[in-house]
Amino acid sequence: MKNTSTRLLLSCAAIGVAGGLLFIVNSYLGGTVNAVLPVLYGLTLGVYFMPGAIAQRLFRRGGVALLVAAISGLVSAAFQPLGFGAALIAVGIGLVQELPFLVVRYRRWPTWLFVAGSVLSGVVLAIGMYRLVGAHALDAVGAGILIAGSVLSPVIFTLLALALGRALEATGVTRGLDRRR
């Protein structure tokens, strides 16, 4: 991240802390859903994509999704059942969020690229959820719901994050931080 200002780092830290608080709440909500109705567990996982997508939408700089995801994971690590494993998972999500933009060398930021990255992440997530939740023990409908939820959840939450990013950008909080201006 060339020419990284203190203002950008503090903005990423603020988004990261807010994301960490969201991760804490989601870890208990998701755990409850997994215990009660495991076929819907995949729907809760898209929350982990929000902080990175918001940062990418606001700042349009390489590395911000990874930085924000790492901060979010570290903030939440002490307060959720997975502990430091949550921080590692968050960093992995941040890396996956950076990939589509790395391919275009951080020169283009269209919405479809955010969606493409979240679909790719959703497919990887669906494979993991199939194995973790034990979808092979579910009936065909239950396994289908789990897989569909795991694929769609990152897309839905990424689109929500983009809408939040647009709303934040409209307030003028990113003036001077976006490289396009």
Side-chain angles (χ1 to χ4, degrees):
M1 291 183 4
K2 293 181 185 177
N3 303 324
T4 305
S5 68
T6 303
R7 186 172 166 209
L8 176 67
L9 292 175
L10 288 173
S11 298
C12 286
I15 295 169
V17 170
L21 296 174
L22 189 63
F23 289 3
I24 293 166
V25 171
N26 188 59
S27 69
Y28 291 101
L29 177 66
T32 303
V33 169
N34 189 24
V36 175
L37 206 57
V39 296
L40 297 180
Y41 181 60
L43 294 172
T44 67
L45 298 174
V47 170
Y48 295 102
F49 292 81
M50 286 191 70
I54 290 171
Q56 285 179 314
R57 171 68 175 91
L58 288 176
F59 308 128
R60 291 176 177 83
R61 291 178 184 241
V64 294
L66 179 59
L67 176 63
V68 167
I71 293 169
S72 296
L74 289 172
V75 166
S76 69
F79 302 103
Q80 60 171 295
L82 290 177
F84 188 69
L88 296 176
I89 292 168
V91 167
I93 290 171
L95 282 170
V96 171
Q97 285 180 304
E98 292 286 341
L99 286 177
F101 301 99
L102 179 63
V103 169
V104 296
R105 301 176 69 189
Y106 297 106
R107 291 187 179 150
R108 298 185 41 208
W109 299 89
T111 301
W112 70 266
L113 207 50
F114 284 95
V115 173
S118 63
V119 167
L120 172 67
S121 302
V123 169
V124 171
L125 195 60
I127 293 168
M129 286 303 97
Y130 188 82
R131 295 184 56 89
L132 178 71
V133 175
H136 57 278
L138 298 171
D139 62 347
V141 173
I145 292 171
L146 177 67
I147 291 170
S150 299
V151 171
L152 291 176
S153 181
V155 175
I156 292 167
F157 281 97
T158 297
L159 291 173
L160 179 61
L162 294 177
L164 286 170
R166 274 191 295 280
L168 284 169
E169 191 175 44
T171 66
V173 297
T174 61
R175 216 169 312 155
L177 289 175
D178 186 348
R179 288 194 307 182
R180 293 179 306 158
R181 296 183 187 118

